[in-house]
Amino acid sequence: MPGNSPPKQAPGEGVSERVPLGWREWLALPELDIQRVKAKVDTGARTSCLHTFRTEPYTENGQRRVKFWVHPEQHNLHSVVECDAAVIDERTVTDSGGHQEMRLVIETRVVVGDQSWPIEMTLTNRDSMRFRMLLGRTAMAGRCTVMPEASYLAGEPVLRNDE
């Protein structure tokens, strides 16, 4: 993602300015109209991932896009958010069980506490998983410090009018 990379730093440099994260956090995806979603912070996952229970890829003006539907709240199938985004890639992803799946990749803005930046995210059905979203290491690189013994260190996502 040209222009969206975190600033280049030596390992450990700038750690005090990084967003502290626990192993699970509340995030927002304002461009997708998802005000709050519980995410597992997963340094073992390269790319972030969002649960979708239905996807409809389409082409508009020569651009690949996808409509998708999300249950942002775990155990609540009545809360549904319909989303639409440009498809920036399609990748084979290997899940923690070793299964490979071809997934659509989108780019969207994530809000973590009072910080916000663009991330790449794959779309897949995570009904059998505990979390609706994984925040992968590429999204956190150079921006976050993970403390695996803690939870919800970033606090509630702070949405601004310009997001």
Side-chain angles (χ1 to χ4, degrees), residues 47-76:
T47 308
S48 300
C49 174
L50 181 65
H51 163 74
T52 60
F53 64 90
R54 180 174 154 205
T55 58
E56 291 181 4
Y58 68 100
T59 302
E60 182 177 85
N61 298 326
Q63 181 186 39
R64 291 183 66 200
R65 298 192 63 82
V66 62
K67 283 187 183 182
F68 55 99
W69 289 260
V70 177
H71 297 301
E73 299 172 38
Q74 196 73 24
H75 309 299
N76 181 349

Side-chain angles (χ1 to χ4, degrees), residues 6 8-10 16 32 37 40 45 47 51 53 61 66 82-83 95 106-107 123 146 150 152 158:
K8 296 289 183 202
Q9 297 175 329
S16 62
L32 302 178
V37 62
K40 179 180 179 183
T47 308
H51 163 74
F53 64 90
N61 298 326
V66 62
E82 182 178 339
C83 306
D95 67 19
I106 65 167
E107 181 179 282
L123 305 175
V146 180
Y152 309 117
V158 178

Side-chain angles (χ1 to χ4, degrees), residues 59-125:
T59 302
E60 182 177 85
N61 298 326
Q63 181 186 39
R64 291 183 66 200
R65 298 192 63 82
V66 62
K67 283 187 183 182
F68 55 99
W69 289 260
V70 177
H71 297 301
E73 299 172 38
Q74 196 73 24
H75 309 299
N76 181 349
L77 301 181
H78 300 291
S79 174
V80 177
V81 177
E82 182 178 339
C83 306
D84 188 286
V87 174
I88 63 165
D89 199 4
E90 196 167 348
R91 297 182 193 146
T92 302
V93 175
T94 305
D95 67 19
S96 58
H99 306 99
Q100 291 191 331
E101 176 186 31
M102 186 62 77
R103 295 185 190 171
L104 297 175
V105 181
I106 65 167
E107 181 179 282
T108 193
R109 185 161 288 284
V110 67
V111 177
V112 181
D114 64 353
Q115 302 293 310
S116 173
W117 62 89
I119 64 169
E120 289 185 358
M121 189 161 36
T122 66
L123 305 175
T124 192
N125 188 311

Side-chain angles (χ1 to χ4, degrees), residues 21-33:
L21 301 178
W23 71 274
R24 59 187 169 178
E25 292 291 340
W26 289 109
L27 309 177
L29 303 168
E31 294 170 347
L32 302 178
D33 202 27

